[in-house]
Amino acid sequence: MTLFAITVGFFAMMGCLLVQGVLLLIATRHYYDHTSIIENSTQLRSILLIFQVMVMLVLGNLLQGALWALLFMGLGEFHQFREAYYHSLVNFATLGYGDIVMSDRWRLLGPIQAINGVLMIGISTAAITTVVQDALERRAHLKSGSEPG
């Protein structure tokens, strides 16, 4: 059964990678399609553009938690989405409260989801950092009168 749980967890992670990849493309495309805001507008509008990217990526992480919750419900571990989603987000964020524990059969999915969450939150953080860094460089070049590199 352990190998089966690992296999189920692996496919759940692949689904999350797909979700994260799509949202990462959407968020970064949105940013780069609107860099004129940074180059031709106020600092507040630049911050709002970065905020939009952040919201998209955070919503993606919350969506991934929901996908895991639905998996947990499909496996019969939870009967209410609210409880499954709470447990899923605790795993995804690596909080590890331990107030809700899955059955022995599927317990291994918790640490697999935690690994998935660390990776996905790390990808979101890296993307947000890249966007912020790019925006700061564009704003700095505006002040100096040179072209961004």
Side-chain angles (χ1 to χ4, degrees), residues 12 18 32 42 54 63 65 67 77 90 101 111 116 126 144:
L18 181 62
Y32 286 110
T42 65
M54 293 167 72
L63 173 61
L67 294 175
E77 290 295 309
V90 166
V101 180
N116 184 200
S144 70

Side-chain angles (χ1 to χ4, degrees), residues 1-119:
M1 259 320 140
T2 300
L3 183 59
F4 186 61
I6 291 170
T7 303
V8 168
F10 174 79
F11 282 106
M13 285 179 76
M14 293 303 102
C16 286
L17 282 170
L18 181 62
V19 167
Q20 187 73 19
V22 167
L23 285 169
L24 184 62
L25 288 173
I26 291 169
T28 54
R29 161 131 318 156
H30 175 74
Y31 171 76
Y32 286 110
D33 284 349
H34 294 88
T35 54
S36 62
I37 290 172
I38 293 167
E39 296 164 355
N40 302 315
S41 192
T42 65
Q43 191 166 5
L44 177 60
R45 289 198 62 203
S46 298
I47 291 168
L48 289 175
L49 177 59
I50 293 167
F51 177 75
Q52 291 168 353
V53 171
M54 293 167 72
V55 167
M56 283 185 240
L57 294 172
V58 168
L59 288 175
N61 288 319
L62 293 173
L63 173 61
Q64 292 171 67
L67 294 175
W68 278 93
L70 292 172
L71 172 63
F72 295 157
M73 290 179 69
L75 296 173
E77 290 295 309
F78 298 95
H79 300 291
Q80 295 180 352
F81 180 78
R82 184 176 144 189
E83 186 177 42
Y85 192 53
Y86 165 78
H87 179 72
S88 175
L89 291 180
V90 166
N91 287 339
F92 199 83
T94 69
L95 290 173
Y97 287 149
D99 55 339
I100 300 174
V101 180
M102 296 200 309
S103 68
D104 286 343
R105 180 176 185 187
W106 298 113
R107 191 171 295 170
L108 189 56
L109 291 179
I112 291 171
Q113 187 187 13
I115 292 167
N116 184 200
V118 167
L119 178 61

